[in-house]
C-alpha cells in the first residue's frame, strides 16, 4: 500500500528564517505526482506546490521550493524568508495512478514574530 | 466566482437528526470528493464521484450518502447523526491529470 509519512508533527521558527518540512512516501509506481497543501487557521486547503515525478528539476513557487529525491522517495518543502502568514498545517500528498490523493498526517508550522 | 463552494460553513445539530451539506464547483472538473477531517487534522476520503458514478466508497457508515444531481454538484446527506460525526467535512474537485484537487472551505459539523 502507498503511504505518506510526515515525521515532524510540529515546528516553529522565527519570522524571516528558512524552514524545511520533511515528507517521505512509499510506492512501487514510477510515474506519479506529489503535492504540498497548506491549511491556515481559516481551515481552507490551499495548494502550495506540485511536482511531477518524471521531472528532475525541483518545483519552485516564489518562496516555496521542494527538494525531490526520487530514489530516496523524499519530497521536502523549503520555505524561505518565512512570514507570519505561513503559519498553518502543511500536508504532503501523493497522487496515485488513479488520481487519488494519499495524505500525510500533517506538520503544524508556527512562525514566531 | 468561488471555484468550490460548500454550504453551510458551520452546522450544529442534535444527535439523531438528519442533515445535508451542499457542494458546487464551477471549474468543469469531472470528479468530486468528500473528505472528513478529524480533530487531529487527519484527512480521510469518504466518497468520490466521476461523471455521476460513485468510484470510491471507503469504510464509511451507510448513514452517509452522497448525492450528485449533476457533474457540478455533490451533496452529502447524513442520517441519524452521532457524536462521532463531529468533524470538518471538505468537498473537493479535480480533473484527470496533474492539477491536484481544489477544495471548498469546509463545513464544521458539531453534533451535540
Amino acid at each position: 500500500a502507498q503511504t505518506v509519512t510526515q515525521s515532524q508533527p510540529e515546528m516553529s521558527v522565527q519570522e524571516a528564517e528558512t524552514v524545511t518540512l520533511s515528507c517521505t512516501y512509499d510506492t512501487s509506481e514510477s510515474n506519479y505526482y506529489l503535492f504540498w497543501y497548506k491549511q491556515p487557521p481559516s481551515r481552507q486547503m490551499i495548494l502550495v506546490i506540485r511536482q511531477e515525478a518524471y521531472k528532475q528539476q525541483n518545483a519552485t513557487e516564489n518562496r516555496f521550493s521542494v527538494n525531490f529525491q526520487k530514489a530516496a522517495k523524499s519530497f521536502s518543502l523549503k520555505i524561505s524568508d518565512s512570514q507570519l502568514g505561513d503559519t498553518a498545517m502543511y500536508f504532503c500528498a501523493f497522487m496515485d495512478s488513479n488520481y487519488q490523493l494519499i495524505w500525510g498526517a500533517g506538520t503544524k508550522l508556527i512562525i514566531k514574530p | 466566482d468561488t471555484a468550490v463552494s460548500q454550504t453551510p460553513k458551520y452546522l450544529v445539530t442534535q444527535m439523531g437528526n438528519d442533515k445535508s451539506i451542499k457542494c458546487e464547483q464551477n471549474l468543469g472538473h469531472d470528479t468530486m470528493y468528500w473528505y472528513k477531517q478529524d480533530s487531529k487534522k487527519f484527512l480521510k476520503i469518504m466518497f468520490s464521484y466521476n461523471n455521476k458514478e460513485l468510484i470510491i466508497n471507503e469504510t464509511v457508515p451507510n448513514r452517509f450518502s452522497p448525492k450528485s444531481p449533476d457533474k457540478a454538484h455533490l451533496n452529502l446527506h447524513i442520517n441519524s447523526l452521532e457524536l462521532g460525526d463531529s468533524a470538518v467535512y471538505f468537498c473537493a474537485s479535480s480533473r484527470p491529470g496533474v492539477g491536484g484537487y481544489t477544495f471548498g472551505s469546509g463545513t464544521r459539523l458539531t453534533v451535540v
Side-chain angles (χ1 to χ4, degrees):
Chain A
Q2 288 151 152
T3 58
V4 176
T5 302
Q6 293 179 249
S7 59
Q8 304 148 315
E10 185 169 326
M11 297 184 71
S12 65
V13 297
Q14 294 293 137
E15 190 177 9
E17 289 183 348
T18 294
V19 59
T20 298
L21 309 183
S22 66
C23 173
T24 59
Y25 57 94
D26 189 23
T27 183
S28 57
E29 297 182 6
S30 57
N31 294 319
Y32 49 86
Y33 309 96
L34 295 159
F35 302 86
W36 279 97
Y37 278 84
K38 167 185 176 181
Q39 186 179 36
S42 66
R43 82 167 179 250
Q44 178 73 49
M45 293 288 287
I46 302 166
L47 177 63
V48 175
I49 200 166
R50 64 171 175 253
Q51 174 79 43
E52 292 91 333
Y54 63 86
K55 289 188 177 179
Q56 292 186 336
Q57 186 174 6
N58 289 324
T60 299
E61 290 286 343
N62 301 312
R63 298 182 296 106
F64 297 86
S65 61
V66 299
N67 183 3
F68 174 49
Q69 302 290 328
K70 191 173 184 180
K73 296 180 182 174
S74 171
F75 182 61
S76 60
L77 175 70
K78 185 172 83 171
I79 306 174
S80 304
D81 186 25
S82 57
Q83 301 174 0
L84 296 179
D86 296 334
T87 292
M89 285 288 291
Y90 286 81
F91 293 94
C92 179
F94 168 96
M95 180 176 278
D96 67 17
S97 55
N98 294 318
Y99 304 114
Q100 303 301 318
L101 281 179
I102 294 113
W103 296 87
T107 296
K108 183 177 182 179
L109 177 64
I110 300 169
I111 308 299
K112 297 179 288 187
Chain B
D1 59 344
T2 303
V4 180
S5 61
Q6 290 179 232
T7 54
K9 293 190 184 306
Y10 298 93
L11 182 56
V12 181
T13 188
Q14 290 186 328
M15 285 176 55
N17 284 350
D18 302 339
K19 290 293 179 184
S20 292
I21 306 172
K22 295 185 177 181
C23 179
E24 176 182 4
Q25 56 98 1
N26 62 5
L27 298 166
H29 287 173
D30 292 319
T31 308
M32 296 182 70
Y33 309 84
W34 277 105
Y35 276 88
K36 178 180 180 180
Q37 186 176 42
D38 61 23
S39 58
K40 295 184 178 180
K41 303 293 186 182
F42 188 75
L43 285 158
K44 177 184 175 183
I45 182 78
M46 299 178 70
F47 302 104
S48 69
Y49 255 73
N50 187 337
N51 291 325
K52 297 203 291 184
E53 288 187 56
L54 180 68
I55 59 174
I56 294 178
N57 188 344
E58 298 292 325
T59 54
V60 173
N62 58 14
R63 298 181 295 103
F64 291 80
S65 56
K67 299 188 190 305
S68 181
D70 55 56
K71 196 172 82 167
H73 296 82
L74 182 64
N75 303 323
L76 182 64
H77 190 74
I78 315 169
N79 291 326
S80 302
L81 278 155
E82 300 178 357
L83 293 177
D85 298 332
S86 295
V88 177
Y89 292 83
F90 283 99
C91 177
S93 70
S94 74
R95 61 176 173 82
V98 306
Y101 293 9
T102 303
F103 283 83
S105 57
T107 297
R108 179 175 293 280
L109 171 66
T110 303
V111 182
V112 297

